[in-house]
Amino acid sequence: MITSSFNHSISAMTSAAKSVVRPINIPSFRAAWGGFSWAWGGLLFLLSPSTLLAQTTDYYLPKTVMRFTVKVEKTDYTPGKFAQYTGRYLKKNVGQEPTTTYRLLGMDMVPLAQIDTAKHFNLLLDKKHSITKVARADNGQLLAINADAQSTDISQPSFTPAPKPQPLNPNDFMSEDILNAGSMAKMAELTAKEIYDIRDSRNQLSRGEADFMPKDGAQLKMMLANLDRQEQGLSQLFEGVVTRDTAWTTIDYLPTKEGQEVLFRFSKHFGLVDSDDLSGEPYYIVVKDLHSVAAPEPAPAEKKEDKNDIGLRVSQPSKIKVSIINGIQTVNSYELLVPQFGTVQPMSGELFGKKQSSEIVLDPLTGSVRSIKTIPAE
C-alpha cells in the first residue's frame, strides 16, 4: 500500500510492499493544520505553507533478501506383482523393493526488499521546505517524495503441476487363461507369453504382414497405439511402476557479511533436508563484497549541526557476488546491488526550496535514488 501521509504511523512488516490506496482520518489533520485540501490519486495532501506547522513523518530504508526457489524431482518406484519372475521371462533386472529417490533439477533466485529496522529515520516537514507528498509502502518503506511511487510488486516464479495420466490397470489386459491360472508362477509365464504375442503382432503390422491390415495410416496408427498400451499395462506386472513429482521449495537468505555458510543440504534419499542434517550433501552460499561503494569517512569528533538536514536519507548500495557451491562445482552465481553492504547518504533540504523543489523516486529494492527532477514549488 502506498500512502502520502504526515506523522501517520504504519507498522513495520517484512513482506514486500503492494500498491493500494487507503484513506486517512481527516479530522485528526484538521486539528494539526491551519488549512489544507485533499484529493484521491495516491492520497495527495496539498498543504498551505503559511499555515504548515513543523511535523515529522517516519520511514525506513530497505535491505535486500535473496529468495531461492529450489526445484526437486521425486521418483517413486513400486515393484510389479511378478517382479521376481522378470529375469526368467523378460530377461531384465528390476528392483524387488519399493524405493524413493530425489533429484535436484535446478534453482532460481529473485531479490526482495524488507525494511531495515536499523535504518529508521524521521523526515522534517515545515514551511521552509516545499514537500507536499511523501509516498511510503504499507510497511513504512520510503518510496518517493513529491512524486507518485511505482508499484513495488516483484514477479516471482510460479509452479503449475502438469496433470497426471490415469494409471493403467493390468487386470484390464489379462486374458481368461491368465486370470484362472492356479499359481503366481503360471500367471507370470502366461503374461510373458501374452507380451511376446503383442510384440509379434506389432512387428507384423509394421512390416505389412498381418492377416488383417488397416485400411489407411490413421487406422494403422490407432492399432499400434492400442498394442503399445496393452504391452505397457502387462509389463507393469514385471517391471513395476515409476511415478515422478516435482516440488518447488523457497529459501530466503539475508546476506549481511562476507563468508561461506551452508544454504541447504540435499539427499538422494530424503530430498531437501535441514542445513544441520548430515544425511545430505551441503550446498554452500559464498558471499563476496565487490566494494563498488567507497567506505564512509569517519565522522568528526565535533560535528556542526547542518541546518539543511531534514532527516532525508537514501541508500547507496554496493555490489556483491553470491555463488552457490556443491563440493568443487559452482551451481549458480549472481551479482546484485544490496544496501546492507553500502552506505546511507543524507539528502539536503535545499532540494525542497520555497521557489524550486524536487521530485525524488527511490528504487524499491535498494532504497537508492532512481530519479530526481526539479519542479516549481507549490
Side-chain angles (χ1 to χ4, degrees):
M1 178 178 295
I2 297 174
T3 61
S4 299
S5 62
F6 298 91
N7 200 25
H8 179 61
S9 174
I10 299 181
S11 61
M13 298 174 61
T14 57
S15 60
K18 299 181 180 178
S19 301
V20 184
V21 174
R22 181 173 64 186
I24 292 178
N25 186 1
I26 293 177
S28 64
F29 281 85
R30 184 175 292 115
W33 313 109
F36 68 92
S37 64
W38 68 282
W40 289 102
L43 271 186
L44 170 62
F45 288 87
L46 302 176
L47 307 175
S48 173
S50 62
T51 59
L52 184 62
L53 304 179
Q55 297 287 328
T56 61
T57 183
D58 69 322
Y59 66 92
Y60 295 89
L61 292 179
K63 56 187 176 182
T64 298
V65 174
M66 303 177 71
R67 172 161 292 178
F68 294 93
T69 301
V70 184
K71 305 171 186 179
V72 176
E73 181 186 72
K74 176 185 178 183
T75 301
D76 289 311
Y77 167 71
T78 304
K81 185 178 180 180
F82 305 146
Q84 59 180 320
Y85 303 104
T86 306
R88 181 191 303 178
Y89 295 117
L90 299 185
K91 310 304 178 185
K92 292 183 178 181
N93 294 322
V94 297
Q96 303 296 315
E97 299 294 333
T99 59
T100 299
T101 57
Y102 296 84
R103 182 168 67 98
L104 187 63
L105 299 178
M107 59 191 308
D108 298 322
M109 189 280 293
V110 293
L112 301 176
Q114 293 182 355
I115 61 167
D116 191 338
T117 55
K119 297 176 182 177
H120 184 206
F121 305 100
N122 289 287
L123 179 63
L124 176 64
L125 307 167
D126 59 17
K127 62 182 180 181
K128 297 179 182 180
H129 301 95
S130 181
I131 298 177
T132 58
K133 178 161 55 173
V134 178
R136 298 181 301 180
D138 62 352
N139 59 2
Q141 179 184 333
L142 182 64
L143 299 176
I145 294 179
N146 290 340
D148 293 323
Q150 300 177 357
S151 171
T152 54
D153 292 341
I154 305 297
S155 61
Q156 300 185 36
S158 59
F159 173 66
T160 302
K164 292 183 179 181
Q166 289 293 329
L168 298 176
N169 183 3
N171 290 340
D172 294 340
F173 308 103
M174 287 184 175
S175 65
E176 182 179 359
D177 290 339
I178 296 174
L179 293 173
N180 291 331
S183 66
M184 190 72 69
K186 187 63 175 179
M187 291 181 69
E189 180 185 353
L190 295 176
T191 301
K193 184 177 183 303
E194 186 73 14
I195 291 174
Y196 287 121
D197 289 344
I198 292 171
R199 293 176 180 176
D200 289 342
S201 298
R202 183 170 54 235
N203 289 335
Q204 290 175 7
L205 280 173
S206 300
R207 297 167 183 167
E209 300 173 354
D211 295 337
F212 300 98
M213 289 299 298
K215 297 179 180 179
D216 52 31
Q219 190 177 16
L220 173 62
K221 184 177 180 181
M222 184 178 64
M223 293 175 67
L224 290 174
N226 187 46
L227 289 173
D228 290 342
R229 189 166 175 268
Q230 292 179 45
E231 182 181 354
Q232 181 183 356
L234 292 175
S235 295
Q236 287 181 182
L237 293 167
F238 293 93
E239 299 173 1
V241 178
V242 176
T243 58
R244 291 181 174 88
D245 289 306
T246 301
W248 288 16
T249 303
T250 58
I251 301 174
D252 288 346
Y253 178 79
L254 176 65
T256 56
K257 60 182 180 179
E258 287 188 295
Q260 172 180 296
E261 59 182 309
V262 177
L263 179 64
F264 64 87
R265 288 179 180 267
F266 182 78
S267 167
K268 180 180 178 181
H269 302 288
F270 304 106
L272 280 180
V273 296
D274 293 336
S275 58
D276 59 353
D277 189 339
L278 300 183
S279 66
E281 293 183 3
Y283 280 72
Y284 292 97
I285 184 167
V286 182
V287 179
K288 182 180 181 181
D289 188 356
L290 300 181
H291 299 287
S292 61
V293 174
E297 297 181 359
E302 296 182 2
K303 184 179 180 181
K304 294 182 180 181
E305 182 180 357
D306 186 357
K307 295 182 179 180
N308 291 312
D309 186 0
I310 59 174
L312 178 56
R313 303 289 186 270
V314 296
S315 298
Q316 191 173 4
S318 180
K319 181 179 287 188
I320 64 172
K321 181 178 181 180
V322 178
S323 302
I324 309 300
I325 298 176
N326 173 229
I328 61 173
Q329 178 184 7
T330 299
V331 179
N332 278 319
S333 185
Y334 314 91
E335 288 189 5
L336 65 159
L337 292 170
V338 294
Q340 54 264 39
F341 280 79
T343 60
V344 175
Q345 298 294 328
M347 302 274 299
S348 174
E350 293 180 338
L351 292 169
F352 309 98
K354 292 183 178 180
K355 296 182 179 180
Q356 189 169 275
S357 187
S358 302
E359 286 184 358
I360 298 178
V361 177
L362 303 186
D363 188 317
L365 278 177
T366 64
S368 60
V369 176
R370 173 177 284 180
S371 66
I372 183 168
K373 183 173 66 173
T374 301
I375 60 172
E378 297 184 9

